[in-house]
Amino acid sequence: MLRDITIGQYYPAESAIHRLDPRVKVVATFIYIISLFCFKQLSGYIIAALFFLCMVKLSRVPFKFITRGIKPIIFMLIFTAALNLLWTSGENVLIKAGFITITAEGVKKMVFMALRLVFLIIGSSLMTLTTTPNQLTDAIESLFKPLNKVKVPVHEIAMMMSIALRFIPILVEETDKIMKAQLARGADFESGNVIQRIKSMVPIFIPLFVSAARRANDLALAMDARCYHGGEGRTKMKPLKYKKKDIAAYLVMLCYICLIIAAGRILPV
Amino acid sequence: MIPFIKAEYLVHEYSRRDEEGNVTGINRALDGISIEVKAGDFIAVLGANGSGKSTFAKHLNALLVPTEGTLYVDGKDTSDHNNDLAVRQSAGMVFQNPDNQIIANIVEEDAGFGPENIGIPTDEIWHRVEESLKNVGMYEYRKASPNHLSGGQKQRVAIAGILAMKPKCIILDEPTAMLDPAGRISVIRAVQELNKKENITVILITHYMEEVTAADYVYVMADGQIKMQGSPRQIFAKSEELAKYKLTIPEVTKIALELIKKGINIPKDILYVEELTDILLKLKVSATVGVRKE
């Protein structure tokens, strides 16, 4: 059912990773992504892969859920791989046919670049798989709080994100209702070329926008009625508090990044 | 005793403007409303569409301010914006559309939204959320997503969200207009209970006659004015006058009035089905007894 759609791709499970403070997970993901660009040789990839596998094991998320994240970027992956393959110049030419030159350096760069992208995607999908969207907005609000000093409305942005999350299923359901109503009036969304199909969407989007604007107005009134007046003087029902395991997780990340940097300096391959 | 709500000759005008922002017409939504509500009362405001009853409700919550006249809620002047938060805290408002007033993604977080805004400490928020969800019978759904609840349940969550701010008064602006009959009953029952057990003042704005029977006192609005007032029985006895304001009396009262027309001797202010059946049964008994005596 449409009511059951979830945004993001949270995988509910009881695991050490799930229970971590969402801020730790956001920071750790950033560290992991940065670490991917700290090395150039094979050993770095092995360390990054091993570390990631450990985390997956800890999170109890089935591996196929994690690899699912790669699907939407497969085209981009092939494209970057091809570019790297064709445009890298080097001495060890493997194939030369017309204007196409493939070098051993090119192959190496292609493989490493593709691996880097894959790690980047699956690394961040591990975070979204183990953190609910609500926790994520809380973490973002708390982590970016210092930006308040430079007049970035951090609380308001986080509030908008969480309201958007709440209304997505409602608006999806509404779109479905409008589509059915238009179908009942003889609308045709299936046939015709691309332009005709896009045109046939207009009678769906206009009522949807009108109703979304109306809902926004209602919601603003309801928030006013419940004394909402921005982030100032606001308390939290579920405040984020670091526990011992969160500190431990930060230490693990620190060890990991040291290891990666050290490996990059010391190990030859 | 100072009345909890005191409106004196309240006027509200909406002005229509053209594209350049010039006023092209003025719409008087409220036209001299004077009302006093005592703390602990259950008041109903009846009115057809466009009678000004929702505009009036928004004034009680300081969402709109009077064009003329004054309105005091819990002793505070609503036209002073410094009082906004205090007014909204002591007189909470529940709206018509259940989907458009639930803010959070989890029931308990929505109930906690109001207390968070007024700066209640975390432990106290949890305590209030638990209490208010129990009060409306939604405690077992505290971890659920509002998208999975029925309309009546969502509306009760909205009431819990207001209750958690510990208001002295709840204003309900057509809370049942979008609900099915079962949801309607559950919401009205929850409101009645709050009025009786927690002694919370209730102002129910509606156009459903059946809901008004629960109230202590009824105001009938039309064209931005109060046209009739009295207890539900007094109001329903005047069915012709109500019809003038595009309102119809409950089915039971209608049946009773038809029976009176046929020459049956029953009172004309009947509100409940049980009441009518009781009276009719008594009539039947006395009639059969009378026949035997002859």
Side-chain angles (χ1 to χ4, degrees):
Chain A
M1 266 296 283
L2 284 168
R3 272 165 191 264
D4 290 322
I5 65 156
T6 46
I7 304 308
Q9 34 176 353
Y10 183 64
Y11 180 87
E14 279 292 310
S15 80
I17 304 277
H18 280 80
R19 279 193 297 269
L20 281 180
D21 189 295
R23 286 172 294 182
V24 178
K25 286 184 265 189
V26 173
V27 172
T29 309
F30 266 104
I31 294 178
Y32 187 72
I33 289 172
I34 292 166
S35 81
L36 292 175
F37 296 91
C38 292
F39 51 79
K40 283 198 181 97
Q41 77 288 48
L42 187 68
S43 55
Y45 287 98
I46 293 170
I47 296 171
L50 283 177
F51 178 77
F52 183 69
L53 283 176
C54 289
M55 290 302 130
V56 173
K57 198 84 203 138
L58 268 177
S59 73
R60 295 198 187 156
V61 178
F63 204 74
K64 63 167 194 238
F65 275 88
I66 291 166
T67 48
R68 208 178 267 178
I70 302 172
K71 241 185 235 163
I73 60 140
I74 244 162
F75 177 74
M76 202 182 92
L77 208 59
I78 294 170
F79 188 70
T80 20
L83 276 186
N84 273 305
L85 189 64
L86 297 176
W87 259 263
T88 312
S89 51
E91 284 149 18
N92 308 317
V93 177
L94 296 177
I95 302 165
K96 197 171 164 86
F99 63 96
I100 296 170
T101 320
I102 291 170
T103 62
E105 285 85 359
V107 174
K108 191 182 162 197
K109 200 166 180 193
M110 173 192 81
V111 172
F112 280 2
M113 204 59 207
L115 270 179
R116 220 169 241 171
L117 267 177
V118 167
F119 281 156
L120 202 142
I121 296 298
I122 59 180
S124 38
S125 55
L126 183 64
M127 173 183 77
T128 48
L129 279 163
T130 56
T131 320
T132 62
N134 274 338
Q135 288 175 324
L136 218 53
T137 42
D138 277 355
I140 288 168
E141 180 176 358
S142 160
L143 285 170
F144 289 97
K145 206 166 246 168
L147 287 182
N148 253 337
K149 291 216 175 79
V150 285
K151 301 247 157 92
V152 179
V154 178
H155 164 78
E156 282 74 10
I157 291 169
M159 193 61 163
M160 283 193 281
M161 282 169 64
S162 78
I163 289 174
L165 286 171
R166 150 127 176 81
F167 275 87
I168 285 167
I170 294 175
L171 290 178
V172 168
E173 210 177 324
E174 193 147 290
T175 315
D176 187 53
K177 227 186 255 170
I178 295 169
M179 272 178 94
K180 282 191 180 131
Q182 307 286 28
L183 281 173
R185 285 162 180 75
D188 181 9
F189 304 122
E190 310 276 287
S191 58
N193 59 30
V194 179
I195 293 170
Q196 278 167 332
R197 277 200 213 179
I198 291 172
K199 269 189 184 159
S200 70
M201 287 294 174
V202 172
I204 297 176
F205 284 117
I206 289 176
L208 190 66
F209 283 144
V210 170
S211 121
R214 202 168 283 156
R215 278 181 196 282
N217 194 21
D218 276 7
L219 190 76
L221 264 186
M223 286 172 76
D224 258 348
R226 282 162 80 179
C227 297
Y228 182 72
H229 54 283
E232 213 176 303
R234 206 164 179 272
T235 45
K236 284 254 166 208
M237 183 180 179
K238 296 175 173 169
L240 292 174
K241 266 190 206 130
Y242 282 126
K243 298 197 184 86
K244 266 185 194 152
K245 57 174 183 265
D246 301 314
I247 312 279
Y250 274 133
L251 288 176
V252 169
M253 283 321 286
L254 188 70
C255 293
Y256 164 75
I257 192 93
C258 290
L259 190 66
I260 282 279
I261 291 169
R265 295 274 163 87
I266 299 160
L267 295 174
V269 273
Chain B
M1 207 178 106
I2 313 160
F4 182 75
I5 288 170
K6 189 173 182 188
E8 272 173 351
Y9 200 73
L10 204 62
V11 173
H12 191 84
E13 286 170 346
Y14 289 110
S15 37
R16 281 190 299 272
R17 286 167 199 278
D18 61 12
E19 275 150 27
E20 277 96 49
N22 304 314
V23 177
T24 55
I26 286 172
N27 212 350
R28 218 163 225 239
L30 293 182
D31 190 8
I33 301 267
S34 298
I35 277 184
E36 276 187 19
V37 179
K38 288 201 305 291
D41 271 2
F42 189 143
I43 299 291
V45 178
L46 261 176
N49 287 337
S51 60
K53 59 190 195 302
S54 282
T55 308
F56 178 62
K58 283 180 186 138
H59 276 82
L60 295 176
N61 206 254
L63 293 171
L64 290 176
V65 287
T67 317
E68 280 170 43
T70 51
L71 175 63
Y72 288 89
V73 175
D74 202 12
K76 292 169 200 88
D77 187 352
T78 61
S79 54
D80 181 357
H81 279 296
N82 295 325
N83 287 336
D84 280 359
L85 287 185
V87 167
R88 284 170 195 162
Q89 205 177 321
S90 54
M93 175 121 158
V94 176
F95 295 84
Q96 189 185 92
N97 188 328
D99 273 324
N100 296 357
Q101 57 180 321
I102 293 179
I103 290 120
N105 294 292
I106 302 171
V107 166
E108 61 178 11
E109 282 181 14
D110 189 71
F113 182 74
E116 278 182 334
N117 289 335
I118 51 180
I120 307 293
T122 302
D123 297 339
E124 173 68 13
I125 294 180
W126 280 97
H127 181 71
R128 285 186 178 197
V129 165
E130 189 187 323
E131 198 181 16
S132 56
L133 284 175
K134 276 180 182 163
N135 262 331
V136 294
M138 289 299 294
Y139 187 64
E140 65 234 70
Y141 295 97
R142 63 190 183 283
K143 299 279 181 205
S145 152
N147 294 331
H148 293 275
L149 302 179
S150 73
Q153 288 173 326
K154 275 186 242 185
Q155 210 56 316
R156 280 187 283 153
V157 170
I159 294 173
I162 295 298
L163 277 183
M165 296 197 294
K166 299 225 165 166
K168 293 176 191 157
C169 170
I170 299 185
I171 303 145
L172 301 110
D173 185 7
E174 301 203 51
T176 59
M178 300 181 82
L179 306 182
D180 56 15
R184 217 175 276 167
I185 291 169
S186 80
V187 168
I188 294 301
R189 205 166 275 166
V191 171
Q192 258 177 301
E193 225 156 83
L194 289 174
N195 176 248
K196 289 214 179 82
K197 285 190 187 150
E198 312 283 322
N199 203 29
I200 290 174
T201 315
V202 173
I203 297 176
L204 176 66
I205 287 156
T206 184
H207 63 263
Y208 286 108
M209 293 302 204
E210 280 77 5
E211 290 167 5
V212 174
T213 57
D216 300 321
Y217 204 73
V218 182
Y219 292 94
V220 177
M221 275 182 77
D223 306 324
Q225 290 171 339
I226 289 174
K227 301 283 190 184
M228 296 165 76
Q229 50 180 296
S231 72
R233 280 178 206 280
Q234 287 168 343
I235 297 287
F236 290 147
K238 299 172 190 159
S239 63
E240 292 87 6
E241 201 182 343
L242 277 171
K244 225 166 58 189
Y245 308 124
K246 292 183 203 123
L247 295 165
T248 47
I249 51 176
E251 290 297 321
V252 204
T253 321
K254 217 184 270 175
I255 292 170
L257 287 175
E258 288 300 317
L259 288 173
I260 293 168
K261 269 189 205 159
K262 296 270 176 208
I264 293 167
N265 187 22
I266 50 172
K268 59 181 201 170
D269 57 353
I270 286 166
L271 296 183
Y272 306 101
V273 179
E274 296 80 17
E275 199 182 353
L276 183 63
T277 47
D278 276 358
I279 291 173
L280 289 179
L281 278 175
K282 266 179 214 152
L283 272 181
K284 193 183 163 197
V285 169
S286 60
T288 45
V289 170
V291 169
R292 268 185 212 151
K293 270 181 189 166
E294 277 170 20

